[in-house]
Amino acid sequence: ASARAQPPPPDFARVIADIVAVMNGEARDLNYVALDLGAIPEFNRKVYAVAQGIPFGKTLTYGEVAARLGDKLLAREVGQALGQNPFPIVVPCHRVLAASGKTGGFSAPGGVTTKMKMLTVERAQPSGPTLFDALPLAARPRQD
């Protein structure tokens, strides 16, 4: 017997469509996607829950994620947990940056290049002050 291609079930089709929309720069909430977290360590689950709460187009630092978990000294562990994220895009680890706006790592194919492209597609804004916040108002770039 030969296999025949079939359209995905409706629930899968919705997830696929929403991921494609995100990759095309459309804000979509993917928190409805059921993930199998059975083999995921408890700390990582907590990190992923915080990452899933970061809105489309926004970022947090590893330290800010750690602080939301109750201990800002866990930033390195947060980075390690995000590096083990088996659900990129659905768990938007690309929205977590190192201190001072540095990219940090990214475990999905393409690494940091992919992370930066995803943040560009989302027109992501850092969570904290930037260099431009220190400029006089007239010298700031337009936010059109």
Side-chain angles (χ1 to χ4, degrees):
S2 63
R4 292 183 307 164
Q6 298 288 321
D11 289 345
F12 287 90
R14 176 181 175 206
V15 173
I16 292 166
D18 283 345
I19 289 173
V20 169
V22 166
M23 298 309 296
N24 285 317
E26 296 178 35
R28 298 288 172 98
D29 180 357
L30 299 174
N31 288 336
Y32 71 90
V33 178
L35 302 173
D36 181 0
L37 299 171
I40 306 297
E42 185 63 29
F43 180 78
N44 292 30
R45 290 181 197 192
K46 292 176 182 178
V47 171
Y48 300 166
V50 172
Q52 286 183 291
I54 303 170
F56 182 93
K58 300 292 183 188
T59 64
L60 291 178
T61 66
Y62 297 109
E64 289 170 327
V65 172
R68 289 184 182 194
L69 295 173
D71 187 349
K72 64 182 179 182
L73 298 178
L74 292 174
R76 181 177 304 268
E77 290 81 359
V78 166
Q80 291 170 345
L82 292 171
Q84 298 167 7
N85 175 13
F87 314 108
I89 303 174
V90 175
V91 174
C93 55
H94 63 280
R95 296 179 187 154
V96 183
L97 303 172
S100 304
K102 295 179 183 171
T103 60
F106 192 61
S107 61
V112 173
T113 300
T114 298
K115 181 175 189 170
M116 294 312 298
K117 285 183 180 181
M118 292 173 72
L119 291 171
T120 299
V121 164
E122 292 188 16
R123 295 171 300 285
Q125 299 296 313
S127 62
T130 68
L131 168 69
F132 296 108
D133 296 322
L135 294 175
L137 192 55
R140 291 185 188 179
R142 294 179 55 148
Q143 297 289 322
D144 297 338

